[in-house]
């Protein structure tokens, strides 16, 4: 069985050190950049030629299926934090299939659970009893606080957020919903209304009754702020925070309250959606205390509070199992997907018995939701998270990662912000550190491609595509961090010197 992470001890007198190489470290040469070892060898690739695959992609698949990087990768195999292309080249995957691979590519425990269940029973729908969905529901709800005890299984994050919208509207009898600008909650015709990223919207009717409020961004936002991260924005100050609440919170909450007053009938609403840390939007965190005050205001207007944990759940933030716990809140509904199945199509909505009772007024059915294979996989993921101490790894390796990325911010003026918590990390690239103007797409692409060529796969996000999204399989090690920071340092040095 795979033994998770932390391969290099970083211990001195029994104490784990979180410091790394000192400032002024020489830029590593290509010879110095040694990829950490991996004891897995992929089998030879026997599929179609890459040229043929690209032709099929261009002619037979949706033209909206864009590929990352100037020269698309043809991925053949995966193991834990590693991906292998059709030539056998190994890459350190720091994007995890868009924040979906939680415990590692092809984790042996997950493979075993799926194989065992597939050999026994794939599908009956839930018109019959089968054991796995019941075992899984019991185990999953045990991870959640308060009265969050009733689970609905679906197949994707968009489905989960669609269902949460319906639940809130039916339960409250209200229609209007609030989300934050820069948020992403899905791309289905229904959830696209929740998403407040123009790059993800089409010109068709959507967003009925949905209002997007000002995003409380500590780096780019109007009033800045301090956040729950080992690394603060250059705009933050210790004097900003009093009793755990940032001074900018009142101003951002004032903007939310204005929308309630001016845009909603009688100020009544059905729900407020929020990611604990914005994912697609570029790992944006909120000022300390914002979410708690927002939840209080929303509930005073009759609304439910919905936490989108599609990217920030399952221990990724390190300190807590669920991202919302870091804000000191308990929502009324939680949506989850991606890491819940480690790449298997699985998602869920968890709510209270009171909200669930409303949903019993009519039939509700999802053909594949909670099918035997998905339930077996989900249960195995929870077991692997515990057995491999994944949450601890996120906290310790993630903090180490953030601290070392922050040194790049000090060394290179194009690194505008380093932020995040655990292994949900963002690095915002800029043209000008003082104005925070986003880095131009050509330079961003050059850095992105160069890191890939040296063996590191980074994600990219934010409205302007200028934020490197680092959300790897949560089994990465200190050695992986050192390699990544070395690659980034080398690429930034070369790019800035040209």
């Amino acid at each position: 069985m795979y033994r998770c992470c932390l391969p290099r001890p970083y211990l001195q007198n029994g104490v784990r050190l979180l410091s790394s190489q000192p400032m002024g470290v020489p830029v590593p040469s290509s010879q110095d950049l040694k990829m950490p070892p991996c004891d897995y060898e992929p089998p030879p690739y026997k599929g179609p030629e890459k040229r043929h695959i690209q032709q099929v992609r261009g002619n037979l698949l949706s033209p909206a299926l864009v590929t990352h990087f100037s020269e698309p990768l043809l991925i053949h195999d995966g193991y834990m934090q590693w991906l292998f292309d059709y030539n056998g080249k190994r890459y350190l995957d720091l994007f995890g299939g868009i924040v979906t691979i939680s415990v590692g590519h092809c984790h042996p425990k997950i493979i075993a659970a799926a194989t065992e269940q597939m050999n026994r029973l794939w599908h009956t729908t839930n018109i019959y009893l089968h054991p796995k969905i019941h075992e899984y529901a019991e185990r999953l709800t045990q991870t959640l606080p308060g009265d969050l005890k009733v689970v609905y299984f679906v197949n994707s994050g968009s489905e989960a957020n669609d269902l949460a919208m319906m639940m809130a509207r039916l339960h409250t009898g209200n229609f209007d919903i609030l989300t934050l600008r820069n948020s992403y909650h899905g791309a289905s015709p229904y959830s696209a209304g929740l998403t407040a990223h123009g790059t993800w919207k089409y010109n068709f009717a959507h967003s009925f009754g949905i209002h997007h409020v000002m995003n409380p961004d500590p780096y780019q936002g109007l009033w800045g702020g301090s956040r729950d991260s080992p690394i603060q924005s250059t705009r933050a100050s210790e004097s900003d925070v009093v009793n755990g609440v940032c001074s900018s919170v009142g101003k951002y909450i004032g903007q939310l309250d204005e929308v309630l007053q001016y845009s909603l009938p009688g100020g009544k609403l059905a729900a407020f959606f929020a990611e604990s840390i914005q994912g697609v939007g570029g790992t944006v965190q909120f000022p300390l205390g914002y979410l708690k005050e927002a939840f209080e205001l929303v509930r005073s207007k009759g609304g439910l509070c919905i936490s989108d944990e599609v990217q920030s759940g399952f221990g990724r933030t390190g300190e807590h199992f669920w991202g919302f716990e870091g804000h000191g809140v308990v929502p009324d509904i939680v949506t989850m997907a991606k890491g819940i199945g480690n790449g298997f199509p699985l998602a869920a909505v968890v709510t209270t018995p009171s909200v669930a009772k409303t949903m019993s007024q009519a039939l509700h059915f999802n053909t594949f939701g909670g099918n035997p294979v998905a339930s077996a996989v989900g249960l195995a993921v929870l077991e692997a998270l515990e057995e491999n101490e994944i949450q601890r790894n996120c906290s310790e390796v993630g903090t180490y990662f953030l601290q070392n990325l922050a040194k790049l911010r000090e060394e290179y003026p194009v690194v505008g912000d380093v932020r995040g918590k655990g292994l949900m990390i963002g690095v915002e690239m800029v043209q000008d550190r003082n104005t925070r103007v986003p880095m131009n797409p050509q330079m961003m692409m050059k850095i992105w491609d160069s890191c890939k060529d040296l063996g590191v796969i980074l994600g990219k996000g934010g409205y302007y595509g200028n934020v490197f999204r680092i959300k790897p399989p949560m089994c990465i090690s200190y050695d992986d961090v050192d390699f990544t920071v070395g690659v980034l340092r080398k690429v930034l040095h070369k790019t800035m010197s040209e």
Side-chain angles (χ1 to χ4, degrees), residues 57 61-67:
R57 180 91 167 202
L61 293 175
S62 164
L65 279 176
V66 296
T67 54

Side-chain angles (χ1 to χ4, degrees), residues 54-92:
Q54 289 179 292
Q55 288 174 345
V56 172
R57 180 91 167 202
N59 297 326
L60 302 181
L61 293 175
S62 164
L65 279 176
V66 296
T67 54
H68 276 194
F69 307 113
S70 300
E71 177 58 35
L73 285 171
L74 174 52
I75 297 299
H76 161 50
D77 201 358
Y79 177 73
M80 302 312 290
Q81 64 266 53
W82 306 105
L83 289 174
F84 302 85
D85 71 9
Y86 70 116
N87 289 319
K89 181 176 178 178
R90 180 160 56 104
Y91 297 87
L92 177 60

Side-chain angles (χ1 to χ4, degrees), residues 74-329:
L74 174 52
I75 297 299
H76 161 50
D77 201 358
Y79 177 73
M80 302 312 290
Q81 64 266 53
W82 306 105
L83 289 174
F84 302 85
D85 71 9
Y86 70 116
N87 289 319
K89 181 176 178 178
R90 180 160 56 104
Y91 297 87
L92 177 60
D93 179 14
L94 294 186
F95 201 25
I98 314 183
V99 206
T100 299
I101 302 301
S102 48
V103 296
H105 291 284
C106 301
H107 191 292
K109 187 179 187 71
I110 315 304
I111 292 174
T115 302
E116 180 182 357
Q117 187 61 50
M118 291 175 78
N119 285 332
R120 180 169 294 114
L121 180 69
W122 286 35
H123 180 73
T124 64
T125 79
N126 290 306
I127 58 175
Y128 309 115
L129 298 177
H130 67 84
K132 281 301 174 185
I133 189 174
H134 303 86
E135 293 175 45
Y136 183 38
E138 189 172 40
R139 180 68 182 84
L140 179 63
T141 53
Q142 287 171 357
T143 69
L144 289 143
D147 211 18
L148 292 164
K149 296 304 176 190
V150 183
V151 59
Y152 295 74
F153 289 113
V154 292
N155 308 289
S156 73
S158 292
E159 275 189 70
N161 284 328
D162 279 352
L163 179 56
M165 292 171 70
M166 182 170 71
M167 283 180 170
R169 283 170 165 163
L170 290 174
H171 184 72
T172 63
N174 299 326
F175 187 71
D176 291 80
I177 292 175
L178 302 182
T179 69
L180 295 167
R181 295 173 196 159
N182 196 55
S183 65
Y184 180 88
H185 298 286
S188 66
Y190 207 29
S191 63
L194 295 174
T195 293
H197 254 254
T199 50
W200 291 91
K201 288 183 177 288
Y202 291 92
N203 189 24
F204 66 89
H206 56 67
S207 301
F208 297 114
I210 297 175
H211 311 267
H212 306 302
V213 303
M214 180 181 285
N215 194 42
D217 183 344
Y219 181 63
Q220 292 285 7
L222 192 59
W223 297 295
S226 296
R227 61 202 177 206
D228 180 20
S229 174
I231 308 301
Q232 291 297 328
S233 158
T234 53
R235 300 179 65 194
S237 168
E238 289 185 8
S239 61
D240 289 345
V241 182
V242 178
N243 296 324
V245 179
C246 181
S247 60
S248 66
V249 164
K251 297 171 184 176
Y252 289 119
I253 292 293
Q255 292 296 305
L256 191 158
D257 196 27
E258 271 200 6
V259 174
L260 289 170
Q261 293 179 47
Y262 286 96
S263 301
L264 274 67
K268 298 293 184 181
L269 76 160
F272 170 65
F273 272 78
E275 302 162 89
S276 297
I277 299 175
Q278 291 178 335
V280 173
T283 322
V284 173
Q285 297 176 274
F286 310 133
L288 288 163
Y290 174 82
L291 206 57
K292 189 170 187 177
E293 292 199 15
F295 274 26
E296 290 172 359
L297 179 58
V298 165
R299 285 175 170 147
S300 74
K301 302 296 182 179
L304 298 184
C305 298
I306 301 175
S307 287
D308 182 332
E309 293 285 330
V310 169
Q311 296 190 29
S312 56
F314 297 91
R316 183 165 289 277
T317 61
E319 187 179 359
H320 302 95
F321 196 81
W322 300 105
F324 64 77
E325 294 177 289
H327 296 273
V329 299

Side-chain angles (χ1 to χ4, degrees), residues 45 49 110 150-151 157 218 244 259 416 440 457 493:
Y45 177 71
E49 290 185 358
I110 315 304
V150 183
V151 59
V259 174
N440 70 70
I457 296 176
H493 181 79

